[in-house]
Amino acid sequence: MADTASRPDRKPWIFVPTLYFAEGLPYIVINSVSVIMYKNLGASNQFIGLTALIFMWPWVIKMLWAPLVDTQSTKRNWVVYSELLLGVGLFLLAAFLQFNFYILASIIVFSALAFVSATHDIAIDGYYMLSLSEKMQSLYVGVRSTFYRIAVIFGSGFLVVLAGLLQKRSFSMAASWQVVMGFTGLLFLIMFLFHRFYLPYPENTIEKKHGKDLTEMFDVFVSYFKQEKVWVVVLFILLYRLGEAVLEKMSPAFLLDPIEAGGLGLATETVGLVKGTMGVLMLVIGGLVGGWLISKFGLKKCLWPMALMLKLPDVVYIYMSVYKPSLALIYVLVGFEQFGYGIGFTAFMVFLMYFAKEPYKTSHYAISTGIMALGMMIPGGLSGFLQQQLGYTWFFVSVLLLTIPGLLMLFFIPIENE
């Protein structure tokens, strides 16, 4: 297989970064930036929590239509036309924000965009494997993850800061988010045009070689659920991030809510800097440190301390809800929590890779990540109701308690010595 298939002049160091930036951006807009948008527009915490149930499901079940992407048309076509749909959908969202029925309209559009984005993810990962040799795939794996994280910083950092700055310039809440969503839609139309004309064409024979018929897809699921202690592992996947799933949706709301409502009363652009810039930067550093620790000492030795690094820093939210620290300290505390999250999440993802077995390693990993998305979706959907019942301080105490089941599951999961 040629390194860039039928267009050797098309450089992976150009199209791999743009593809994975395009993969990360819609996910963060739909699942994180939307939280801040709805909060700015006056939505309740219960509603914001419920959006997790509404928007996350395509990533939970995307494995079910992956065979369609795998066997119909080409991965290249799925990639570029998904980006066209994402761009058009974001323009529609921006247009609907000026009407009184924007809540219902935005839910419908975000739900459709989530389906398109999950399909886009499948196509990009498949295209990556088809357009690059195995050697090149290994070479660019770090580039993939880096530009996905850059998309996260861009979405939860730059876009949120942009909305806040527009609000300071006398834009209404709705108008500021219209500009942000319209701008993001324009980016996707630009990416559609760029990828439409720049991406190399993997040969059709290569595409067919990687296709799976329905019988083989059935074998994939059977082989996954026949593995040793599989139901213990499934329970572990669902519980490992239980506390963090509840925390994830409410942490931006806590930063935005006024002091009298128990929050920290930060401005929109400040939340973008705290969560989307400092937070994501420390998350990336934590992930790099976690990967280095596992490569040096092995997963079996690292899993317990790295799991604790994921969970114990959640206590910083209890501290912030009680003492309302200065902005400088908020940066430090959120950065520390995200650094721990990066370490603990890395251990979790490495375990999922270890549990995926040949000859269906990629599909097994997709099943595990689908179960992981389910474990984030349901608790996230209930988080707003829990916070309203308990108030922020006791809500964060409950988050800490909900981390315990995932720790207990570490005693039962199968981990071989490396």
Side-chain angles (χ1 to χ4, degrees), residues 10-18 136 140 143 147 198:
R10 301 314 199 216
K11 306 301 182 186
W13 59 266
I14 294 178
F15 70 76
V16 170
T18 59
M136 294 290 280
Y140 281 91
V143 176
F147 277 85
Y198 191 86

Side-chain angles (χ1 to χ4, degrees), residues 87-159:
V88 171
L90 286 162
F91 275 118
L92 281 175
L93 179 65
F96 286 142
L97 287 177
Q98 65 182 307
F99 298 111
N100 291 333
F101 56 86
Y102 74 88
I103 288 287
L104 177 60
S106 65
I107 289 174
I108 293 171
V109 174
F110 271 135
S111 298
L113 290 175
F115 177 82
V116 175
S117 179
T119 306
H120 186 234
D121 292 357
I122 298 167
I124 285 178
D125 291 337
Y127 180 84
Y128 178 84
M129 290 185 284
L130 288 173
S131 60
L132 300 179
S133 67
E134 290 186 6
K135 179 181 178 182
M136 294 290 280
Q137 289 174 39
S138 300
L139 180 63
Y140 281 91
V141 69
V143 176
R144 287 177 47 171
S145 60
T146 297
F147 277 85
Y148 190 97
R149 290 300 181 191
I150 289 173
V152 172
I153 294 172
F154 181 86
S156 57
F158 175 78
L159 293 181

Side-chain angles (χ1 to χ4, degrees), residues 365-378:
Y365 185 73
I367 293 171
S368 292
T369 55
I371 297 169
M372 176 185 71
L374 178 64
M376 296 294 288
M377 181 181 75
I378 296 175

Side-chain angles (χ1 to χ4, degrees), residues 181-193:
M181 293 303 169
F183 172 70
T184 310
L186 178 62
L187 282 181
F188 271 99
L189 293 184
I190 292 170
M191 285 187 279
F192 157 71
L193 292 172

